Amino acid sequence: MHEVSLCRQLAAAVTRATGDREVEVVHVDVGQLRQVVPEAMRFAWTFVVKDTPLARARLELRLLPATLSCRDCGASSRLGPELGFDCRACGSADTALTSGEQFVLTAVDVRTPTPADDRDGRCETGPGKGDRDGALPSA
Ligand SMILES: [Zn+2]
């Protein structure tokens, strides 16, 4: 399951970038050719960050299509599902992959502390003290 090792690398990179700040969302670009299954990736992420400071960070994947650029005619074309590497415009096999192999941490959303986070520390619900004077009705 290569998603786990990808997530381990990712978690290490995020930790290096953010230190001890609380991370909310991790944005990653994934090229089509990485053969990453988004569901497996998200599952691996929760497994990898469990019991770490990143446990509450959510993984946002953006899948990028694979594209080829042709050295003969200069056309740029998308790799189809059949993964043919010939130019879609002229049929030349002299093409170069220009996108599709990325696995890039593009952004990290960090939680910014707000004044509302300060607890006011008041505690008004103490143990109830009876106001009754305890006097028994005289017989
Ligand atoms: Zn071409």
Side-chain angles (χ1 to χ4, degrees):
M1 196 175 179
H2 77 306
E3 280 88 358
V4 171
S5 64
L6 285 174
C7 283
R8 280 194 215 284
Q9 295 168 31
L10 194 60
V14 171
T15 303
R16 270 199 305 276
T18 58
D20 55 4
R21 285 175 293 171
E22 191 180 328
V23 176
E24 288 187 324
V25 190
V26 175
H27 300 268
V28 181
D29 278 359
V30 184
Q32 182 188 337
L33 297 180
R34 300 298 297 226
Q35 305 284 333
V36 161
V37 180
E39 259 177 40
M41 190 75 190
R42 276 189 278 269
F43 178 77
W45 176 255
T46 56
F47 168 77
V48 164
V49 300
K50 190 159 62 87
D51 300 328
T52 77
L54 294 175
R56 284 162 57 193
R58 192 168 41 120
L59 190 62
E60 279 288 330
L61 300 175
R62 189 169 61 142
L63 297 175
L64 303 179
T67 53
L68 295 169
S69 111
C70 176
R71 291 197 184 92
D72 281 340
C73 74
S76 148
S77 38
R78 245 184 208 209
L79 231 60
E82 72 281 9
L83 295 185
F85 283 79
D86 293 346
C87 173
R88 294 285 183 280
C90 71
S92 165
D94 193 7
T95 56
L97 200 61
T98 52
S99 170
E101 294 182 302
Q102 299 94 333
F103 185 79
V104 184
L105 175 63
T106 55
V108 178
D109 294 349
V110 174
R111 189 169 187 274
T112 41
T114 61
D117 282 349
D118 294 333
R119 282 175 295 161
D120 59 13
R122 282 178 301 160
C123 181
E124 291 182 324
T125 51
K129 266 186 195 157
D131 286 325
R132 290 167 296 164
D133 57 12
L136 293 170
S138 50

